[in-house]
Amino acid sequence: MADSSTQVRPGGRSAKVRAAVHHAVAELLAEEEAETLTLPAVAARAGVHPTTLYRRWGSTAQLLNDVATSRFTDDLVVPDSGSLAGDLQRWLADVATDVADPDTLALMRATIGSGPAGGCACVEDRHRQLGAIIRREQDRGGTALDVETAADFLLGPLYYRAIFTPEPASADWARTLVSTYLATLRTP
Amino acid sequence: MADSSTQVRPGGRSAKVRAAVHHAVAELLAEEEAETLTLPAVAARAGVHPTTLYRRWGSTAQLLNDVATSRFTDDLVVPDSGSLAGDLQRWLADVATDVADPDTLALMRATIGSGPAGGCACVEDRHRQLGAIIRREQDRGGTALDVETAADFLLGPLYYRAIFTPEPASADWARTLVSTYLATLRTP
DNA sequence: CCACTAACGCAACGATCAGTGCGATAATTT
DNA sequence: AAATTATCGCACTGATCGTTGCGTTAGTGG
């Protein structure tokens, strides 16, 4: 009975405001620099009163965390091609395509800059997806992989290129990354 | 003779102001959230008038870029242990130790969030250092490595863990990373 | 359909930010 | 040492931000 006095009300209007605000954040990050991303600016773009943003989110950091979490959660379908290599290649290619979008990158950068937990909000679901792929391979009777190590070798180079280097990471490059990673497993 | 009319003057006072401002940025990022990093706040901490910051840097984005560039340039000595494995292990362990510092991480996060070129400012010199190590191995008659690929497998997982995951990356883990990377080269 | 209340809009306020013009200081050159 | 001028400090101003109190709108349960 933890805090039963205040009941949430995610009805039509709140959901509509939330969607408009999320859309406004993505728009503003896509077109201008992250400097001008203030709560009044987002409110004006979303057609919502600034007070609403101050009350619901409080700061741009929490708003960005919310936007990034919902943006990078359940946005990709975990493939089931029948083999580990196929699943990983399909999935990482999708991730690479997603990360190659400049608007997506802008959201990631802003979220990372908003606080220590910003990065986690961007890749938390990716780790869940990778875990699902690995678990499925294990159920097939295949090799048991460590999720963290796989993330180091697959997501590591991909996100590193996206954030820290100007050169893009294509879907083909992601597939090559999976091949070389699986090759290292067969030859310890 | 491009713009010979305006000559820079990096004398004693300017250098002192610059150092104080850089120090103030690092301090503010270390203690509080990145939200409050405004030019007047930095000026107050540095004991400098806000107008100076508006004129010399113009925005927090450019200031952060300047701070990050000078912070992550010539801060590590490229080792020369006689072997590629030794050089890489020493160097990447140093990088890991540097990145493990919360204050360093805060500066990196803020710089990444300040603009598209933020990430490059943090690792540009790292690529130069890695290139120097690889070139030295080549001069020894050893294997010729591609700098970009090596960065993908060495810096990628390291910076990915630092920015996107809560678990730290120790110096020992970095050395293991080098070992596994070199192992993959011997077995193509 | 009605009562309840979470969520939003509105107006007003102090605080801080971003920018400008002008004089003072000090680095650099002759 | 004197002249030149890049750089900084100061005072001032308009704009924007962050916050609060109060009334209104609209989900939610009876």
Side-chain angles (χ1 to χ4, degrees):
Chain A
M1 55 179 66
D3 209 1
S4 64
S5 60
T6 59
Q7 45 184 343
V8 78
R9 185 183 289 187
R13 189 167 66 162
S14 289
K16 200 167 291 188
V17 167
R18 187 180 136 102
V21 169
H22 280 213
H23 192 70
V25 169
E27 270 190 5
L28 287 175
L29 284 179
E31 57 194 44
E32 30 193 331
E33 299 304 319
E35 300 276 328
T36 61
L37 192 81
T38 97
L39 292 190
V42 174
R45 177 63 65 101
V48 174
H49 205 271
T51 318
T52 303
L53 298 187
Y54 283 110
R55 283 204 245 264
R56 279 189 67 165
W57 287 280
S59 68
T60 60
Q62 296 182 18
L63 175 58
L64 277 172
N65 235 279
D66 186 28
V67 172
T69 300
S70 74
R71 164 66 180 80
F72 297 115
T73 300
D74 293 333
D75 58 335
L76 291 182
V77 286
V78 180
D80 188 6
S81 64
S83 72
L84 176 64
D87 285 353
L88 286 180
Q89 288 196 348
R90 252 204 167 90
W91 174 71
L92 202 66
D94 284 352
V95 176
T97 303
D98 186 36
V99 167
D101 181 27
D103 300 355
T104 305
L105 264 179
L107 174 60
M108 284 178 52
R109 273 193 292 262
T111 308
I112 289 171
S114 70
C120 299
C122 297
V123 300
E124 205 172 11
D125 200 50
R126 299 282 177 264
H127 281 235
R128 227 188 326 270
Q129 296 164 355
L130 184 56
I133 293 177
I134 289 179
R135 203 173 309 113
R136 188 168 328 189
E137 170 71 5
Q138 215 164 343
D139 292 344
R140 287 197 202 98
T143 55
L145 296 181
D146 181 35
V147 181
E148 305 304 326
T149 308
D152 290 336
F153 279 89
L154 297 178
L155 297 177
L158 188 58
Y159 279 84
Y160 176 77
R161 286 213 168 190
I163 295 293
F164 291 97
T165 74
E167 57 228 73
S170 66
D172 278 339
W173 184 78
R175 277 185 278 265
T176 308
L177 203 61
V178 173
S179 299
T180 52
Y181 168 59
L182 293 179
T184 65
L185 295 178
R186 285 192 296 271
T187 59
Chain B
M1 56 180 60
D3 209 2
S4 65
S5 59
T6 59
Q7 43 185 343
V8 77
R9 185 184 291 187
R13 187 167 67 160
S14 289
K16 200 167 290 189
V17 167
R18 186 179 135 103
V21 168
H22 281 214
H23 192 69
V25 169
E27 270 191 4
L28 288 176
L29 283 179
E31 57 194 41
E32 32 194 330
E33 298 304 319
E35 302 276 329
T36 61
L37 192 80
T38 90
L39 292 190
V42 174
R45 176 64 64 102
V48 174
H49 205 272
T51 317
T52 302
L53 299 187
Y54 283 110
R55 283 205 247 263
R56 279 190 64 166
W57 288 280
S59 68
T60 61
Q62 295 182 18
L63 174 57
L64 276 172
N65 234 279
D66 186 28
V67 172
T69 300
S70 74
R71 164 66 178 79
F72 296 116
T73 299
D74 294 331
D75 58 334
L76 291 182
V77 287
V78 179
D80 188 4
S81 65
S83 73
L84 177 65
D87 285 352
L88 285 179
Q89 287 195 348
R90 252 204 166 91
W91 174 70
L92 201 67
D94 284 352
V95 176
T97 303
D98 184 36
V99 167
D101 180 26
D103 300 355
T104 304
L105 265 179
L107 174 60
M108 282 178 52
R109 272 193 293 262
T111 307
I112 289 170
S114 70
C120 299
C122 296
V123 299
E124 205 172 11
D125 200 49
R126 298 282 178 264
H127 281 235
R128 229 189 325 269
Q129 295 164 355
L130 183 57
I133 294 177
I134 289 179
R135 204 172 309 113
R136 185 163 351 194
E137 170 70 6
Q138 215 165 344
D139 291 345
R140 287 196 201 99
T143 55
L145 295 182
D146 180 37
V147 180
E148 305 305 325
T149 308
D152 290 334
F153 279 88
L154 297 178
L155 298 177
L158 188 58
Y159 279 84
Y160 176 77
R161 285 214 170 191
I163 295 292
F164 291 97
T165 75
E167 57 228 74
S170 66
D172 279 339
W173 184 78
R175 278 184 279 265
T176 308
L177 203 60
V178 172
S179 298
T180 51
Y181 169 61
L182 293 179
T184 64
L185 294 180
R186 284 191 297 271
T187 60

